[in-house]
Coordinates of all heavy atoms in Angstrom, one line a residue:
L79 N 21.5 15.9 -36.4 CA 20.5 16.2 -35.4 C 20.2 15.0 -34.6 O 19.9 14.0 -35.1 CB 19.3 16.8 -36.1 CG 18.1 17.2 -35.1 CD1 18.5 18.3 -34.2 CD2 16.9 17.5 -36.0
S80 N 20.3 15.2 -33.3 CA 20.1 14.0 -32.4 C 18.7 14.2 -31.8 O 18.5 15.2 -31.2 CB 21.2 13.9 -31.4 OG 20.9 12.9 -30.4
I81 N 17.9 13.2 -31.8 CA 16.6 13.2 -31.2 C 16.7 12.3 -29.9 O 17.0 11.2 -30.0 CB 15.5 12.7 -32.1 CG1 15.4 13.7 -33.3 CG2 14.2 12.7 -31.3 CD1 14.4 13.2 -34.3
R82 N 16.3 12.9 -28.8 CA 16.4 12.2 -27.5 C 15.0 11.7 -27.2 O 14.0 12.5 -27.2 CB 16.8 13.1 -26.4 CG 17.4 12.4 -25.3 CD 18.1 13.4 -24.5 NE 19.0 12.6 -23.7 CZ 19.7 13.1 -22.6 NH1 19.5 14.4 -22.3 NH2 20.5 12.3 -21.9
R83 N 14.8 10.4 -27.0 CA 13.5 9.9 -26.7 C 13.2 9.9 -25.2 O 14.2 9.7 -24.4 CB 13.4 8.4 -27.1 CG 13.4 8.3 -28.5 CD 13.2 6.8 -28.9 NE 13.2 6.7 -30.3 CZ 12.6 5.8 -31.0 NH1 11.9 4.9 -30.4 NH2 12.7 5.7 -32.3
R84 N 12.1 10.3 -24.8 CA 11.7 10.3 -23.4 C 11.2 8.9 -23.0 O 10.4 8.3 -23.8 CB 10.6 11.3 -23.1 CG 11.1 12.7 -23.2 CD 9.8 13.6 -22.8 NE 10.3 15.0 -22.6 CZ 9.5 15.9 -22.2 NH1 8.2 15.6 -22.0 NH2 9.9 17.1 -22.0
T85 N 11.6 8.5 -21.9 CA 11.0 7.2 -21.4 C 10.3 7.5 -20.1 O 10.7 8.4 -19.2 CB 12.2 6.2 -21.1 OG1 13.1 6.8 -20.2 CG2 12.9 5.8 -22.4
M86 N 9.2 7.0 -20.0 CA 8.3 7.2 -18.8 C 8.5 5.9 -17.9 O 8.6 4.8 -18.4 CB 6.9 7.3 -19.2 CG 6.6 8.5 -20.1 SD 6.9 10.1 -19.3 CE 5.5 10.1 -18.2
T87 N 8.5 6.2 -16.6 CA 8.5 5.2 -15.7 C 7.1 4.7 -15.4 O 6.2 5.5 -15.1 CB 9.2 5.7 -14.3 OG1 10.5 6.1 -14.6 CG2 9.2 4.6 -13.3
H88 N 6.9 3.4 -15.5 CA 5.6 2.8 -15.2 C 5.3 3.0 -13.7 O 6.1 2.7 -12.8 CB 5.5 1.4 -15.6 CG 4.2 0.8 -15.3 ND1 3.1 1.0 -16.0 CD2 3.9 0.0 -14.3 CE1 2.1 0.3 -15.5 NE2 2.5 -0.3 -14.4
V89 N 4.1 3.3 -13.4 CA 3.7 3.5 -12.0 C 2.6 2.5 -11.7 O 1.5 2.5 -12.4 CB 3.2 5.0 -11.7 CG1 2.7 5.1 -10.2 CG2 4.3 6.0 -12.0
D90 N 2.7 1.7 -10.7 CA 1.7 0.8 -10.2 C 0.9 1.5 -9.0 O 1.4 1.6 -8.0 CB 2.3 -0.5 -9.7 CG 2.9 -1.4 -10.8 OD1 2.2 -1.5 -11.9 OD2 4.0 -2.0 -10.6
W91 N -0.3 2.0 -9.4 CA -1.1 2.6 -8.4 C -1.9 1.6 -7.7 O -2.4 0.6 -8.2 CB -2.1 3.6 -9.1 CG -1.4 4.8 -9.6 CD1 -1.0 5.0 -10.9 CD2 -0.9 5.9 -8.9 NE1 -0.4 6.3 -11.0 CE2 -0.3 6.8 -9.8 CE3 -1.0 6.3 -7.5 CZ2 0.2 8.1 -9.4 CZ3 -0.4 7.5 -7.1 CH2 0.2 8.3 -8.0
H92 N -2.1 1.8 -6.3 CA -2.8 1.0 -5.4 C -4.0 1.8 -4.9 O -3.9 2.9 -4.4 CB -2.0 0.5 -4.2 CG -0.8 -0.2 -4.7 ND1 -0.8 -1.5 -4.9 CD2 0.5 0.3 -4.9 CE1 0.5 -1.9 -5.2 NE2 1.2 -0.8 -5.3
P93 N -5.3 1.3 -5.0 CA -6.4 2.1 -4.6 C -6.3 2.3 -3.0 O -6.0 1.3 -2.3 CB -7.6 1.2 -4.9 CG -7.1 -0.2 -5.1 CD -5.6 0.0 -5.5
Y94 N -6.6 3.4 -2.6 CA -6.7 3.7 -1.1 C -8.0 4.1 -0.7 O -8.7 4.9 -1.4 CB -5.6 4.9 -0.8 CG -5.4 5.2 0.6 CD1 -4.6 4.5 1.4 CD2 -6.2 6.3 1.1 CE1 -4.5 4.8 2.8 CE2 -6.1 6.5 2.5 CZ -5.2 5.8 3.3 OH -5.1 6.2 4.6
P95 N -8.5 3.7 0.4 CA -7.9 2.9 1.5 C -8.0 1.4 1.4 O -7.6 0.7 2.3 CB -8.6 3.4 2.7 CG -10.0 3.7 2.2 CD -9.8 4.2 0.8
K96 N -8.5 0.9 0.3 CA -8.6 -0.6 0.1 C -7.2 -1.3 0.3 O -7.2 -2.3 0.9 CB -9.2 -0.9 -1.3 CG -9.4 -2.3 -1.5 CD -10.0 -2.6 -2.9 CE -10.2 -4.1 -3.1 NZ -10.7 -4.4 -4.5
E97 N -6.2 -0.6 -0.2 CA -4.9 -1.2 -0.1 C -4.1 -0.1 0.6 O -4.1 1.1 0.2 CB -4.2 -1.5 -1.4 CG -4.9 -2.7 -2.1 CD -4.2 -2.9 -3.5 OE1 -3.0 -2.8 -3.6 OE2 -4.9 -3.4 -4.4
K98 N -3.2 -0.5 1.6 CA -2.4 0.5 2.3 C -1.0 0.0 2.3 O -0.7 -1.2 2.3 CB -2.9 0.7 3.7 CG -4.2 1.3 3.9 CD -4.6 1.5 5.4 CE -5.9 2.2 5.5 NZ -6.3 2.4 6.9
P99 N 0.0 1.0 2.3 CA 1.4 0.5 2.4 C 1.6 -0.3 3.7 O 0.9 -0.2 4.7 CB 2.2 1.9 2.5 CG 1.2 2.9 1.9 CD -0.2 2.4 2.2
T100 N 2.7 -1.1 3.7 CA 3.0 -1.9 4.9 C 4.0 -1.3 5.8 O 4.3 -1.9 6.9 CB 3.4 -3.3 4.4 OG1 4.5 -3.2 3.6 CG2 2.2 -4.0 3.7
K101 N 4.7 -0.3 5.3 CA 5.7 0.4 6.2 C 5.7 1.9 6.1 O 5.1 2.4 5.1 CB 7.1 -0.1 5.8 CG 7.4 0.2 4.3 CD 8.8 -0.3 3.9 CE 9.1 0.2 2.4 NZ 10.3 -0.2 1.9
K102 N 6.3 2.5 7.1 CA 6.5 4.0 7.1 C 7.5 4.3 6.0 O 8.6 3.8 6.0 CB 6.9 4.4 8.5 CG 7.2 5.9 8.5 CD 7.7 6.3 9.8 CE 8.1 7.9 9.7 NZ 8.8 8.3 10.9
D103 N 7.0 5.2 5.1 CA 7.9 5.6 4.0 C 7.2 6.7 3.2 O 6.1 7.1 3.6 CB 8.2 4.4 3.0 CG 9.6 4.5 2.4 OD1 10.2 5.7 2.4 OD2 10.0 3.5 1.8
R104 N 7.9 7.3 2.3 CA 7.4 8.3 1.5 C 6.9 7.7 0.2 O 7.5 6.8 -0.4 CB 8.4 9.4 1.2 CG 8.8 10.1 2.5 CD 9.8 11.2 2.3 NE 9.5 12.2 1.3 CZ 8.6 13.2 1.4 NH1 7.9 13.3 2.5 NH2 8.5 14.1 0.5
Y105 N 5.7 8.1 -0.3 CA 5.0 7.6 -1.4 C 4.5 8.7 -2.3 O 4.2 9.8 -1.8 CB 3.9 6.7 -1.0 CG 4.3 5.5 -0.2 CD1 4.3 5.6 1.2 CD2 4.6 4.3 -0.8 CE1 4.7 4.5 2.0 CE2 5.0 3.2 0.0 CZ 5.1 3.3 1.4 OH 5.5 2.2 2.1
L106 N 4.2 8.3 -3.6 CA 3.4 9.2 -4.5 C 2.0 9.0 -4.0 O 1.5 7.8 -3.8 CB 3.5 8.8 -5.9 CG 4.8 9.1 -6.7 CD1 4.7 8.5 -8.1 CD2 5.0 10.6 -6.8
I107 N 1.2 10.0 -4.0 CA -0.3 9.9 -3.7 C -1.1 10.7 -4.6 O -0.6 11.7 -5.2 CB -0.6 10.2 -2.3 CG1 -0.3 11.7 -1.9 CG2 0.0 9.3 -1.3 CD1 -0.8 12.2 -0.6
N108 N -2.2 10.1 -5.0 CA -3.2 10.8 -5.9 C -4.3 11.4 -5.0 O -4.8 10.7 -4.1 CB -3.8 9.8 -6.9 CG -4.6 10.5 -7.9 OD1 -4.0 11.0 -8.9 ND2 -5.9 10.6 -7.8
L109 N -4.5 12.7 -5.1 CA -5.5 13.4 -4.3 C -6.7 13.9 -5.1 O -6.5 14.3 -6.3 CB -4.9 14.7 -3.6 CG -3.7 14.4 -2.7 CD1 -3.1 15.7 -2.3 CD2 -4.0 13.6 -1.5
D110 N -7.8 13.9 -4.6 CA -9.0 14.4 -5.2 C -9.5 15.5 -4.3 O -9.7 15.3 -3.1 CB -10.1 13.3 -5.3 CG -11.3 13.8 -6.0 OD1 -11.7 14.9 -5.9 OD2 -12.0 12.9 -6.6
D111 N -9.7 16.7 -4.9 CA -10.1 17.9 -4.0 C -11.6 18.0 -3.8 O -12.1 18.9 -3.2 CB -9.5 19.2 -4.6 CG -10.2 19.6 -5.9 OD1 -11.1 18.9 -6.4 OD2 -9.9 20.8 -6.4
G112 N -12.3 17.0 -4.3 CA -13.8 17.0 -4.2 C -14.5 17.9 -5.2 O -15.7 17.9 -5.3
N113 N -13.8 18.5 -6.1 CA -14.3 19.4 -7.1 C -13.9 18.9 -8.5 O -14.0 19.6 -9.5 CB -13.9 20.8 -7.0 CG -14.4 21.5 -5.8 OD1 -15.6 21.4 -5.5 ND2 -13.5 22.2 -5.0
G114 N -13.6 17.6 -8.6 CA -13.2 17.0 -9.9 C -11.8 17.2 -10.3 O -11.4 16.9 -11.5
H115 N -10.9 17.8 -9.5 CA -9.5 18.0 -9.8 C -8.7 16.9 -9.1 O -8.8 16.6 -7.9 CB -9.0 19.4 -9.3 CG -9.7 20.5 -10.0 ND1 -10.7 21.2 -9.4 CD2 -9.6 21.0 -11.2 CE1 -11.3 22.1 -10.2 NE2 -10.6 22.0 -11.3
Q116 N -7.8 16.4 -9.8 CA -6.8 15.4 -9.3 C -5.4 16.0 -9.2 O -5.0 16.7 -10.1 CB -6.8 14.2 -10.3 CG -8.1 13.5 -10.4 CD -8.5 12.6 -9.3 OE1 -7.6 11.9 -8.7 NE2 -9.8 12.6 -9.0
Y117 N -4.7 15.6 -8.2 CA -3.3 16.1 -7.9 C -2.5 14.9 -7.6 O -2.9 14.0 -6.9 CB -3.3 17.1 -6.8 CG -4.2 18.3 -7.1 CD1 -5.5 18.3 -6.5 CD2 -3.7 19.4 -7.8 CE1 -6.3 19.4 -6.7 CE2 -4.6 20.5 -8.0 CZ -5.8 20.5 -7.4 OH -6.6 21.6 -7.7
I118 N -1.2 15.0 -7.9 CA -0.2 14.0 -7.4 C 0.8 14.7 -6.6 O 1.3 15.8 -7.0 CB 0.4 13.2 -8.6 CG1 -0.6 12.5 -9.4 CG2 1.6 12.3 -8.1 CD1 -0.1 11.9 -10.7
T119 N 1.2 14.2 -5.5 CA 2.2 14.8 -4.6 C 2.9 13.6 -3.9 O 2.6 12.4 -4.1 CB 1.6 15.8 -3.6 OG1 2.6 16.5 -2.9 CG2 0.7 15.1 -2.6
I120 N 3.8 13.9 -3.0 CA 4.6 13.0 -2.2 C 4.2 13.2 -0.8 O 4.2 14.3 -0.3 CB 6.1 13.1 -2.5 CG1 6.5 12.9 -3.9 CG2 6.9 12.2 -1.5 CD1 7.9 13.1 -4.2
A121 N 4.0 12.1 -0.1 CA 3.6 12.2 1.3 C 4.2 11.0 2.1 O 4.5 10.0 1.5 CB 2.1 12.2 1.5
T122 N 4.3 11.1 3.4 CA 4.7 10.0 4.2 C 3.6 9.3 4.8 O 2.6 9.8 5.3 CB 5.5 10.6 5.4 OG1 6.7 11.3 4.9 CG2 6.1 9.5 6.3
F123 N 3.6 7.9 4.7 CA 2.6 7.1 5.3 C 3.1 6.7 6.7 O 4.2 6.2 6.8 CB 2.4 5.8 4.4 CG 1.3 5.0 5.0 CD1 0.0 5.3 4.7 CD2 1.6 3.8 5.7 CE1 -1.0 4.5 5.2 CE2 0.6 3.0 6.2 CZ -0.7 3.3 5.9
Y124 N 2.3 7.0 7.7 CA 2.7 6.7 9.1 C 1.5 6.6 10.0 O 0.6 7.4 9.8 CB 3.5 7.9 9.6 CG 4.0 7.8 11.0 CD1 4.9 6.8 11.4 CD2 3.6 8.7 12.0 CE1 5.4 6.7 12.7 CE2 4.0 8.6 13.3 CZ 4.9 7.6 13.6 OH 5.3 7.4 14.9
K125 N 1.5 5.5 10.7 CA 0.3 5.2 11.6 C -1.0 5.2 10.8 O -2.0 5.8 11.3 CB 0.2 6.2 12.8 CG 1.4 6.0 13.7 CD 1.2 6.9 15.0 CE 2.4 6.6 15.9 NZ 2.2 7.3 17.2
S126 N -1.1 4.5 9.7 CA -2.3 4.2 8.9 C -2.8 5.4 8.1 O -3.9 5.2 7.6 CB -3.5 3.7 9.7 OG -3.2 3.0 10.8
I127 N -2.1 6.5 8.1 CA -2.5 7.6 7.2 C -1.4 8.3 6.5 O -0.2 8.1 7.0 CB -3.4 8.7 8.0 CG1 -2.5 9.3 9.1 CG2 -4.7 8.1 8.6 CD1 -3.3 10.5 9.9
F128 N -1.7 9.1 5.5 CA -0.7 9.8 4.8 C -0.5 11.2 5.4 O -1.5 11.9 5.8 CB -1.0 9.9 3.4 CG -0.8 8.7 2.6 CD1 -1.9 7.8 2.4 CD2 0.5 8.3 2.2 CE1 -1.6 6.7 1.6 CE2 0.7 7.1 1.5 CZ -0.4 6.3 1.2
W129 N 0.7 11.7 5.6 CA 1.1 13.0 6.1 C 1.8 13.8 5.1 O 2.8 13.3 4.5 CB 1.8 12.9 7.4 CG 1.1 12.2 8.5 CD1 0.9 10.9 8.7 CD2 0.4 12.8 9.6 NE1 0.1 10.7 9.8 CE2 -0.2 11.9 10.4 CE3 0.2 14.2 10.0 CZ2 -0.9 12.1 11.5 CZ3 -0.5 14.5 11.1 CH2 -1.0 13.5 11.9
E130 N 1.5 15.1 4.9 CA 2.3 16.0 4.1 C 2.4 17.3 4.9 O 1.6 18.2 4.7 CB 1.6 16.2 2.8 CG 2.3 17.1 1.8 CD 1.3 17.4 0.6 OE1 0.2 17.7 0.8 OE2 1.9 17.3 -0.5
S131 N 3.4 17.5 5.7 CA 3.6 18.6 6.6 C 2.2 18.9 7.3 O 1.8 19.9 7.4 CB 4.0 19.8 5.8 OG 3.2 20.3 4.8
G132 N 1.7 17.8 7.8 CA 0.4 17.8 8.5 C -0.6 16.9 7.9 O -0.3 16.3 7.0
V133 N -1.8 16.9 8.5 CA -2.8 16.0 7.9 C -3.3 16.5 6.5 O -3.4 17.7 6.3 CB -4.0 16.0 8.8 CG1 -5.2 15.1 8.3 CG2 -3.6 15.4 10.2
I134 N -3.5 15.7 5.6 CA -3.9 16.1 4.2 C -5.4 16.3 4.2 O -6.2 15.5 4.7 CB -3.5 14.9 3.2 CG1 -2.0 14.8 3.2 CG2 -4.1 15.2 1.9 CD1 -1.5 13.6 2.4
D135 N -5.8 17.5 3.6 CA -7.2 17.8 3.7 C -7.9 17.5 2.4 O -9.1 17.9 2.3 CB -7.4 19.3 3.9 CG -6.7 20.2 2.9 OD1 -6.0 19.7 2.1 OD2 -6.8 21.5 3.0
H136 N -7.3 16.8 1.4 CA -8.0 16.3 0.3 C -8.2 14.8 0.4 O -7.6 14.2 1.3 CB -7.2 16.6 -1.0 CG -7.1 18.0 -1.3 ND1 -8.2 18.9 -1.2 CD2 -6.0 18.7 -1.8 CE1 -7.7 20.1 -1.6 NE2 -6.5 20.0 -1.9
I137 N -8.9 14.1 -0.5 CA -9.2 12.7 -0.4 C -8.1 12.0 -1.1 O -7.8 12.3 -2.3 CB -10.6 12.4 -1.1 CG1 -11.7 13.1 -0.3 CG2 -10.7 10.9 -1.1 CD1 -13.0 13.1 -1.1
V138 N -7.4 11.1 -0.4 CA -6.3 10.3 -1.0 C -7.1 9.1 -1.7 O -7.9 8.4 -1.1 CB -5.3 9.7 0.0 CG1 -4.4 8.8 -0.6 CG2 -4.7 10.9 0.7
T139 N -6.9 9.0 -3.0 CA -7.6 7.9 -3.8 C -6.7 6.8 -4.2 O -7.2 5.7 -4.4 CB -8.2 8.5 -5.1 OG1 -7.2 9.1 -5.9 CG2 -9.3 9.6 -4.7
A140 N -5.4 7.0 -4.2 CA -4.4 5.9 -4.5 C -3.0 6.3 -4.1 O -2.7 7.5 -3.8 CB -4.4 5.8 -6.1
W141 N -2.1 5.3 -4.0 CA -0.7 5.5 -3.7 C 0.1 4.7 -4.5 O -0.3 3.6 -5.1 CB -0.5 5.3 -2.2 CG -0.8 3.9 -1.8 CD1 -2.0 3.4 -1.4 CD2 0.2 2.8 -1.7 NE1 -1.8 2.1 -1.1 CE2 -0.5 1.7 -1.3 CE3 1.5 2.7 -2.0 CZ2 0.1 0.5 -1.1 CZ3 2.1 1.5 -1.8 CH2 1.4 0.4 -1.4
A142 N 1.4 5.0 -4.7 CA 2.4 4.2 -5.4 C 3.8 4.4 -4.8 O 4.1 5.4 -4.2 CB 2.4 4.7 -6.9
E143 N 4.6 3.4 -5.1 CA 6.0 3.5 -4.6 C 6.7 4.7 -5.4 O 6.3 4.9 -6.5 CB 6.8 2.2 -5.0 CG 6.2 1.0 -4.3 CD 6.7 0.9 -2.8 OE1 7.7 1.5 -2.5 OE2 6.0 0.1 -2.1
L144 N 7.6 5.3 -4.8 CA 8.4 6.4 -5.5 C 9.3 5.7 -6.6 O 9.8 4.6 -6.4 CB 9.3 7.2 -4.6 CG 8.6 8.0 -3.6 CD1 9.6 8.7 -2.7 CD2 7.8 9.1 -4.3
P145 N 9.4 6.4 -7.7 CA 10.4 5.8 -8.8 C 11.8 6.0 -8.4 O 12.1 6.7 -7.4 CB 10.0 6.7 -10.0 CG 9.5 8.0 -9.5 CD 8.8 7.6 -8.2
E146 N 12.7 5.4 -9.1 CA 14.1 5.5 -8.8 C 14.5 7.0 -9.1 O 13.9 7.5 -10.1 CB 14.9 4.5 -9.7 CG 14.7 3.1 -9.3 CD 15.3 2.8 -7.9 OE1 16.4 3.3 -7.6 OE2 14.6 2.0 -7.1
P147 N 15.4 7.5 -8.4 CA 15.9 8.9 -8.8 C 16.5 8.9 -10.1 O 17.0 7.9 -10.6 CB 17.0 9.1 -7.7 CG 16.7 8.2 -6.6 CD 16.1 7.0 -7.2
Y148 N 16.6 10.1 -10.7 CA 17.2 10.3 -12.0 C 18.7 10.0 -12.0 O 19.4 10.3 -11.1 CB 17.0 11.8 -12.4 CG 17.9 12.2 -13.6 CD1 17.4 11.8 -14.8 CD2 19.0 12.9 -13.5 CE1 18.2 12.1 -16.0 CE2 19.7 13.3 -14.6 CZ 19.3 12.9 -15.9 OH 20.0 13.2 -16.9
Q149 N 19.1 9.3 -13.0 CA 20.5 8.9 -13.2 C 20.9 9.4 -14.6 O 20.4 8.9 -15.6 CB 20.7 7.4 -13.1 CG 20.4 6.8 -11.8 CD 21.3 7.3 -10.7 OE1 22.5 7.5 -10.9 NE2 20.9 7.5 -9.5
P150 N 21.8 10.4 -14.7 CA 22.2 10.9 -16.0 C 22.9 9.8 -16.8 O 23.5 8.9 -16.2 CB 23.2 12.0 -15.7 CG 23.6 11.8 -14.3 CD 22.5 11.0 -13.6
E151 N 22.8 9.8 -18.1 CA 23.4 8.9 -19.0 C 25.0 9.0 -18.9 O 25.5 10.2 -18.8 CB 23.0 9.1 -20.4 CG 21.6 8.7 -20.7 CD 21.2 8.9 -22.2 OE1 22.1 8.7 -23.0 OE2 20.0 9.2 -22.4
V152 N 25.6 7.9 -18.8 CA 27.1 8.0 -18.8 C 27.6 7.8 -20.3 O 27.2 6.8 -20.9 CB 27.7 6.9 -17.9 CG1 29.1 6.8 -18.0 CG2 27.2 7.0 -16.5
K153 N 28.4 8.7 -20.7 CA 28.9 8.7 -22.1 C 30.3 8.0 -22.1 O 31.1 8.5 -21.3 CB 28.9 10.1 -22.7 CG 27.6 10.7 -22.9 CD 27.7 12.1 -23.5 CE 26.3 12.7 -23.8 NZ 26.4 13.9 -24.4
N154 N 30.4 7.0 -22.9 CA 31.7 6.4 -23.1 C 32.5 7.1 -24.1 O 32.1 7.2 -25.2 CB 31.6 4.9 -23.4 CG 30.9 4.1 -22.4 OD1 31.0 4.4 -21.2 ND2 30.2 3.1 -22.7
E155 N 33.6 7.6 -23.7 CA 34.5 8.4 -24.7 C 35.6 7.6 -25.1 O 36.2 6.8 -24.5 CB 34.8 9.7 -24.1 CG 33.6 10.6 -23.9 CD 33.9 11.9 -23.5 OE1 35.1 12.4 -23.7 OE2 33.1 12.6 -22.8

């Protein structure tokens, strides 16, 4: 029986709007809906604000760089 360990990617969150990205790109963002619920999604930072198919209607509290894409393990045979 083989047990596969999960590894988590560390995320460096930056408080928003105290810290803002320096370039137009896609980022992870943490949203607060004002009712105590937190959400994480991906949005584009452009012209000093985050966009997600339009203006975001929740409060952006933090942002982070996107992690590296998934790379499957290469098995040496």
